[in-house]
Amino acid sequence: MTGDRHYGTTMDSQFGELTLVATDQGLRAVKWPAELASRVPLPHEWTAAPDHPVLRATRSQLQEYFDGQRTKFDLPFDLRGTVFQRTAWRALASIPYGATTTYGRQALRAGHPGAARAIGAANGRNPISIILPCHRVIGARGDLVGFAGGVETKRRLLAFEQSNVKFTS
């Protein structure tokens, strides 16, 4: 971990409380309550800074998303991971709002055909849930598998997007 200073805040949503973490370079994490100590390595300490520009923009855009008025995010990221992980995470942003794809199709989109399992592992370490929408990736047979906020939250997020897609298109 580098010596970058980290800032954090929380926000409530209909899907639970989210913890947002950023550096001056960009958003580092959107974390669900059940996974605060897992999945994405972050410093143990950060400065509470709800007015930090990255966190303020993140909260605002997430609120618009939860209000059904935003389908894409425009935020700076400070992604930390391997080149493969960052490629997989960035490929998530191309999955349309309200749609789903499979790990195999995401692997193709990321330029790594045949790497569906590796893509799944990378998605499992996606630090920016919702914004980089790993909840839109499902199993090859259509099953909902793995999500940091839990499979039931994944189901609810997908249903939320699908019910709003007709209003945002």
Side-chain angles (χ1 to χ4, degrees):
M1 196 65 49
T2 67
D4 292 338
R5 188 158 188 187
H6 287 75
Y7 306 93
T9 192
T10 59
M11 74 174 287
D12 291 323
S13 79
Q14 63 263 48
F15 300 99
E17 184 180 72
L18 301 172
T19 299
L20 313 176
V21 180
T23 65
D24 289 325
Q25 288 72 45
L27 186 63
R28 282 286 317 275
V30 173
K31 300 192 86 160
W32 300 90
E35 52 127 14
L36 280 177
S38 65
R39 196 172 67 86
V40 178
L42 290 169
H44 294 290
E45 296 181 21
W46 57 72
T47 302
D51 289 327
H52 185 280
V54 172
L55 296 175
R56 192 174 50 242
T58 301
R59 249 190 351 268
S60 175
Q61 289 187 30
L62 279 169
Q63 191 58 60
E64 291 169 358
Y65 168 86
F66 293 133
D67 290 344
Q69 298 179 4
R70 176 174 287 275
T71 61
K72 294 181 180 182
F73 295 89
D74 181 24
L75 297 164
F77 300 143
D78 185 1
L79 295 173
R80 312 265 175 106
T82 67
V83 171
F84 180 84
Q85 287 172 328
R86 290 191 314 268
T87 299
W89 299 336
R90 290 192 187 283
L92 292 167
S94 67
I95 305 167
Y97 180 90
T100 58
T101 193
T102 65
Y103 295 97
R105 287 191 299 245
Q106 183 188 352
L108 284 171
R109 185 178 282 126
H112 297 280
R117 287 180 189 242
I119 288 290
N123 285 0
R125 298 194 53 89
N126 171 20
I128 306 177
S129 293
I130 303 173
I131 293 168
L132 293 177
C134 55
H135 63 279
R136 296 179 190 156
V137 185
I138 61 175
R141 295 184 192 107
D143 48 331
L144 301 183
V145 292
F147 183 65
V151 173
E152 183 53 33
T153 300
K154 183 174 189 166
R155 181 182 331 280
R156 289 177 54 217
L157 278 167
L158 290 171
F160 168 76
E161 287 185 3
Q162 290 164 355
S163 71
N164 283 316
V165 79
K166 61 183 171 278
F167 300 112
T168 58
S169 298

